[in-house]
């Protein structure tokens, strides 16, 4: 993309040196045509924090997650990752979208796990895990294979290295997807309802891997309907509705004593 064709968005300030926030969102808006999906999101995710995001379908949770790694481009607002504007650069007081290669470099430090596993069906579990380090980071195959084997063991699948996705359960496929994301050594992990496509008896094995990541200090933003996980593992809980953050705070506080009537109504339906 030539500089003359770059889309200027708006002026921006840095979130400031010395902040412990890995992600800073300021007045983030996202529209698809006339449909406003995000209507001014302000959030900070600290390094080592597990932030759980909950809310009804259509509230903008997944869209916000995709904005963090620039899979969706902001309509307005600012979003910093690791001290840098995500997807843009500032020049002469204006913001310009980065080239695809520059965005890919930023995105390589962010792992994302989707609702559906999105594994490459023609590759084995190990092949899925090592593909990006070899192709993107140019890691030698032997080194990538050794690391991939370690990651499969970490997610409880050391004996599935040579198995193709179609031979794995949904929970096993999702654990391979987590290992694949971890293979790029990300600073941040994004989870978009990672258990929603799983049979109930398979949910626990995926949540166990995520608990282990949290104990290891991984910074995580988790869109989820698993309120028990949010209460147990989350450092913060954000309730979104209609493209806005309605309420946020420590999970135990929000779940036990929600202050906003919309939060109360939502939790009354999902907490038994």
């Amino acid at each position: 993309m030539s500089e003359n064709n770059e889309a200027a968005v708006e002026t921006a300030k840095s979130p400031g040196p010395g902040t412990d926030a890995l992600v800073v969102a300021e007045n983030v808006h996202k529209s698809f045509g006339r449909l406003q999906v995000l209507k001014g999101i302000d959030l900070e995710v600290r390094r080592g924090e597990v932030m759980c995001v909950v809310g009804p379908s259509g509230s903008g949770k997944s869209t916000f997650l995709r904005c963090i790694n620039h899979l969706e481009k902001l309509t307005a607002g600012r979003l910093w990752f690791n001290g840098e504007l995500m997807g843009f650069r500032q020049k002469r007081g204006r913001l310009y979208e980065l080239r695809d290669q520059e965005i890919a470099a930023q995105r390589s430090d962010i792992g994302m796990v989707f609702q559906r596993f999105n594994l490459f069906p023609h590759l084995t579990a190990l092949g899925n895990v090592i593909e990006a380090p070899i192709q993107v980071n140019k890691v030698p195959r032997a080194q990538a294979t050794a690391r991939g084997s370690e990651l499969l063991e970490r997610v409880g699948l050391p004996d599935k290295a040579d198995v193709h996705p179609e031979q794995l359960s949904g929970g096993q496929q999702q654990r391979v997807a987590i290992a694949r994301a971890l293979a790029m050594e990300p600073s941040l992990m994004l989870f978009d309802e990672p258990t929603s496509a799983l049979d109930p008896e398979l949910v626990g094995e995926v949540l166990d891997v995520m608990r282990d990541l949290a104990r290891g200090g991984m910074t995580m933003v988790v869109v989820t309907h698993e309120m028990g996980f949010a209460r147990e593992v989350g450092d913060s809980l954000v309730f979104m509705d209609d493209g806005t953050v309605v309420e946020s705070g420590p999970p135990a506080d929000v779940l036990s004593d929600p202050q906003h009537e919309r939060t109360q109504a939502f939790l009354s339906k999902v907490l038994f």
Side-chain angles (χ1 to χ4, degrees), residues 12-22 24 26 44 47 80 82-84:
K13 299 182 298 180
S14 167
T19 178
D20 67 346
L22 186 62
V24 178
E26 289 187 358
E44 289 191 6
R47 298 176 191 276
W80 287 268
N82 204 17
E84 296 183 354

Side-chain angles (χ1 to χ4, degrees), residues 69-270:
N69 65 359
H70 207 68
L71 286 176
E72 297 291 352
K73 184 170 67 174
L74 308 187
T75 304
R78 309 158 185 140
L79 201 153
W80 287 268
F81 170 67
N82 204 17
E84 296 183 354
L85 283 168
M86 187 65 198
F88 295 92
R89 63 182 172 84
Q90 183 169 340
K91 184 176 181 180
R92 293 191 292 269
R94 302 287 288 176
L95 293 185
Y96 297 88
E97 189 172 16
L98 297 176
R99 296 172 175 82
D100 290 345
Q101 186 176 6
E102 295 170 307
I103 294 172
Q106 286 186 319
R107 195 180 286 148
S108 67
D109 200 27
I110 303 174
M112 188 163 186
V113 178
F114 300 87
Q115 298 178 34
R116 295 291 176 177
F117 325 119
N118 295 332
L119 298 179
F120 299 117
H122 63 289
L123 297 178
T124 63
L126 180 60
N128 270 276
V129 174
I130 68 176
E131 180 73 4
I134 291 174
Q135 299 299 329
V136 178
N137 288 354
K138 308 304 180 185
V139 175
R141 178 171 292 274
Q143 181 180 336
T145 298
R147 176 59 176 159
S149 298
E150 292 175 1
L151 289 170
L152 286 177
E153 183 169 3
R154 183 175 182 180
V155 300
L157 297 172
D159 58 336
K160 302 297 184 182
D162 298 324
V163 176
H164 285 79
E166 64 181 11
Q167 300 169 287
L168 299 172
S169 70
Q172 290 171 335
Q173 290 187 60
Q174 194 63 295
R175 284 187 279 161
V176 172
I178 294 172
R180 179 177 63 179
L182 292 173
M184 294 295 285
E185 305 288 345
S187 300
L188 172 69
M189 285 287 288
L190 307 176
F191 292 88
D192 187 6
E193 299 189 23
T195 61
S196 65
L198 301 179
D199 292 333
E201 65 268 24
L202 301 178
V203 169
E205 62 189 45
V206 173
L207 294 182
D208 284 344
V209 172
M210 295 170 65
R211 289 186 183 95
D212 181 67
L213 291 178
R215 285 193 292 267
M218 175 63 73
T219 309
M220 300 159 59
V221 182
V222 184
V223 172
T224 184
H225 292 295
E226 301 292 338
M227 299 301 168
F229 174 85
R231 183 190 294 270
E232 174 193 353
V233 179
D235 297 299
S236 60
L237 181 70
V238 173
F239 172 66
M240 288 182 61
D241 186 42
D242 194 28
T244 65
V245 173
V246 176
E247 188 167 347
S248 63
D253 293 350
V254 176
L255 293 174
S256 301
D257 188 25
Q259 300 300 300
H260 196 283
E261 64 180 44
R262 183 66 188 91
T263 317
Q264 296 168 6
F266 173 78
L267 292 177
S268 70
K269 297 176 181 177
V270 299

